């Protein structure tokens, strides 16, 4: 049967990543029985992204291990997955029904639309980005290229000191590769964390042999006309490199949303149910921004697989006319060699923080407060702290800051009602 001959979709999901798949599977769990079509840009069956910078990049997982669901699962659930079907344009009427045009000429008619278009790597504003040996890390094809390059590299330069960059640096240094991280800000993770966490992480990475160039801009990637050889900084210095990973963030993919005239401000603006400014169009995952939990009137992008899944459940409930799910606590994790970083809540907007550490290199926890109430925590190798904070936030409670500074006191014993 040709693509053109297939029936009308009750729901078309554009994007076959974590968020898109979760919308489709949750709709089925809620009893939605209309046809569901899932169109993905990539030629692969839907797969997990978090392992790409962790087990997959380290060679401890293969492509088959990444599958979100098996083809048999989708077939049995009646979810029509169409890999390699890039949606290039969409038309919708006032109710949200419309037609999607795919690359190659296929069309999909639908009654409701969900945009799960994700994000694309932010390009490096410097010449030489097309040289051989310059990599990004967003999809599985990117990860395979980077994994192959790491097997033969000698000197690695990572542009960007975020979580992806630090995970890659941890892996490269563990292999004995000369590794340098270039960060334009004067410290790592400056947008998302108070100073104690990035200082702790940088200290551990330096112990592993990683070098850092902070408050440094990349001016040019230099090569022999084919392959990268050096990274030129703004001050003129050259950092030798036969492998460069550019990890300076991601840009929400909002092209279709803009064509539809949706409200787009750095991402597609959605409410708690992931409705866009059009009543018949929803959006979920890394392509979205939503109301900030602590700063009224501001929007925030939460780029994590957990947020993608949580938003997908909310959108599916609204589409199916079901009871909206309870608002979950955002959480995130990062693995860097023997360091397990776990984050609960959203720290943005904090006005105070408390550090729990015994001064050793084993780990620490940073607790974030606003108006005297706990809003988030970052824990390295302190899982009990993470779980206590996640439990407190989930129940709308807090943890008194002063006694929490004692690392020998269990946080679960300090959970109290908010004032």
């Amino acid at each position: 049967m040709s693509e053109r001959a297939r029936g009308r979709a009750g729901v078309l999901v554009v994007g076959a990543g974590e968020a898109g798949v979760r919308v489709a599977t949750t709709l089925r769990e809620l009893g939605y029985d209309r046809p569901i079509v899932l169109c993905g840009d990539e030629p692969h069956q839907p797969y997990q992204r978090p392992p790409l910078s962790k087990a997959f990049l380290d060679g401890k997982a293969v492509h088959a291990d990444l599958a979100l669901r098996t083809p048999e699962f989708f077939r049995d659930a009646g979810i029509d997955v169409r890999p390699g079907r890039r949606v290039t344009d969409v038309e919708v009427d006032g109710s949200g029904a419309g037609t999607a045009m795919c690359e190659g000429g296929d069309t999909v008619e639908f009654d409701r639309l969900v945009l799960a278009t994700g994000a694309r790597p932010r390009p490096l504003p410097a010449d030489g980005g097309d040289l051989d040996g310059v990599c990004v890390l967003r999809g599985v094809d990117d990860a395979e290229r980077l994994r192959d390059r790491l097997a033969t590299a000698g000197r690695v330069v990572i542009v960007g000191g975020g979580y992806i960059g630090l995970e890659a640096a941890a892996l490269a240094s563990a292999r004995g590769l000369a590794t340098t991280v270039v960060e334009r800000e004067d410290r790592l993770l400056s947008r998302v964390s108070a100073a104690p966490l990035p200082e702790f992480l940088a200290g551990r990475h330096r112990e592993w042999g990683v070098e850092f160039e902070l408050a440094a801009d990349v001016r040019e990637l230099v090569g022999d006309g084919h392959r990268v050889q050096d990274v030129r900084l703004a001050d003129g210095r050259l950092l030798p490199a036969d492998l460069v990973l550019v990890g300076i963030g991601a840009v929400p993919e909002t092209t279709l949303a803009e064509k539809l005239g949706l409200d787009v401000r750095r991402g597609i603006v959605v409410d708690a149910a992931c409705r866009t400014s059009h009543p018949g169009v929803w959006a979920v995952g890394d392509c979205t921004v939503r109301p900030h939990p602590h700063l009224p009137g501001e929007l925030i992008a939460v780029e994590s697989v957990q947020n993608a899944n949580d938003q997908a459940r909310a959108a599916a409930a609204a589409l199916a006319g079901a009871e909206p799910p309870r608002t979950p606590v955002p959480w995130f994790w990062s693995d860097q060699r023997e360091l397990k970083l776990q984050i609960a809540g959203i720290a943005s907007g904090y006005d105070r923080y408390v550090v729990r550490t015994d001064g050793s290199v084993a780990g620490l926890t940073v607790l974030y407060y606003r108006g005297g109430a706990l809003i988030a925590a970052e824990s390295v190798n302190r899982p009990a702290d993470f779980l206590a904070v996640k439990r407190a936030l989930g129940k709308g409670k807090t943890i008194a800051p002063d006694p929490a500074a004692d690392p020998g006191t269990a946080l679960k014993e300090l959970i109290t009602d908010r004032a």
Side-chain angles (χ1 to χ4, degrees):
M1 181 183 294
S2 71
E3 298 293 334
R4 294 182 186 274
R6 297 186 184 184
R8 183 184 187 90
V11 173
L12 168 64
V13 183
V14 181
E18 300 264 3
V21 168
R22 182 65 69 176
V23 169
T25 57
T26 303
L27 281 170
R28 289 295 186 239
E29 291 166 5
L30 294 173
Y32 184 86
D33 60 3
R34 298 281 314 283
I36 300 173
V37 174
L38 195 64
C39 288
D41 289 356
E42 298 180 73
H44 313 291
Q45 287 290 316
Y47 63 89
Q48 305 172 65
R49 292 186 186 273
L52 295 182
S53 60
K54 302 175 178 69
F56 186 84
L57 189 59
D58 200 19
K60 297 177 181 177
V62 298
H63 200 148
D65 298 326
L66 303 177
L68 280 167
R69 296 288 193 277
T70 65
E72 292 75 22
F73 171 91
F74 289 117
R75 183 194 62 222
D76 294 345
I79 299 170
D80 183 1
V81 179
R82 303 184 186 180
R85 289 293 188 273
R86 180 184 296 275
V87 175
T88 57
D89 203 357
V90 180
E91 297 175 353
V92 297
D93 62 20
S95 71
T99 303
M101 283 64 75
C102 301
E103 211 167 57
D106 298 332
T107 61
V108 182
E109 295 184 345
F110 57 85
D111 291 326
R112 291 292 182 269
L113 175 66
V114 179
L115 299 176
T117 47
R120 61 185 184 276
R122 186 180 301 279
L124 182 68
D127 292 336
D130 58 348
L131 288 168
D132 186 39
V134 179
C135 299
V136 296
L137 181 53
R138 190 68 185 176
V140 67
D141 293 336
D142 299 328
E144 287 180 337
R145 282 191 290 270
L146 181 57
R147 187 174 63 183
D148 291 344
R149 296 293 189 183
L150 283 168
T152 58
R155 301 190 66 89
V156 179
V157 172
I158 298 167
V159 185
Y163 293 118
I164 294 295
L166 291 176
E167 289 177 0
L171 191 151
S173 64
R175 296 186 177 187
L177 306 181
T179 306
T180 302
V181 175
V182 180
E183 168 57 46
R184 67 178 303 174
E185 303 297 332
D186 59 5
R187 63 177 175 85
L188 305 174
L189 306 174
S190 60
R191 288 190 307 109
V192 296
S193 298
L197 176 70
E199 288 173 357
F200 175 86
L201 294 175
R204 293 306 306 276
H205 278 266
R206 287 189 177 103
E207 292 174 7
W208 301 333
V210 178
E211 296 183 358
F212 290 92
E213 294 287 346
L214 303 177
D217 275 320
V218 173
R219 183 59 51 84
E220 181 187 9
L221 303 180
V222 181
D224 59 5
H226 173 64
R227 186 171 180 81
V228 69
Q229 295 176 321
D230 300 282
V231 175
R232 188 189 305 278
L233 302 183
D235 62 9
R237 287 182 296 143
L238 291 175
L239 305 178
D242 49 23
L243 172 61
V244 176
L245 171 62
V246 178
I248 56 174
V251 179
E253 181 49 75
T254 61
T255 303
L256 292 178
E258 292 170 31
K259 287 183 176 181
L260 288 170
L262 304 182
D263 187 3
V264 175
R265 284 176 268 171
R266 295 177 291 111
I268 306 169
V269 179
V270 297
D271 64 12
C274 295
R275 292 184 181 88
T276 70
S277 55
H278 188 296
V281 180
W282 281 254
V284 294
D286 288 356
C287 63
T288 68
V289 291
R290 56 177 177 144
H292 197 293
H294 315 310
L295 303 176
E298 294 195 17
L299 299 169
I300 188 171
V302 182
E303 299 170 2
S304 73
V305 64
Q306 190 60 36
N307 178 69
N309 284 323
D310 292 339
Q311 284 192 313
R313 292 187 183 96
L319 283 159
E323 188 75 18
R326 180 178 59 85
T327 302
V329 176
W331 62 274
F332 174 82
W333 81 99
S334 175
D335 295 329
Q336 298 169 38
R337 289 174 73 159
E338 67 265 25
L339 303 181
K340 178 78 170 184
L341 169 63
Q342 295 172 292
I343 300 172
I346 294 176
S348 173
Y350 72 90
D351 55 25
R352 179 184 179 183
Y353 64 83
V354 172
V355 181
R356 284 167 59 82
T357 178
D358 59 7
S360 73
V361 298
L364 87 167
T365 291
V366 183
L367 302 169
Y368 292 89
Y369 293 84
R370 180 174 176 82
L374 179 72
I375 60 171
E378 300 162 333
S379 295
V380 180
N381 293 353
R382 295 183 67 98
D385 286 359
F386 166 76
L387 291 173
V389 170
K390 191 166 181 284
R391 185 179 306 118
L393 294 175
K395 294 182 177 181
K397 296 181 180 293
T398 189
I399 293 174
D402 292 334
D406 177 6
T409 302
L411 289 185
K412 66 180 182 181
E413 305 298 333
L414 301 177
I415 298 175
T416 61
D417 292 331
R418 292 179 178 239

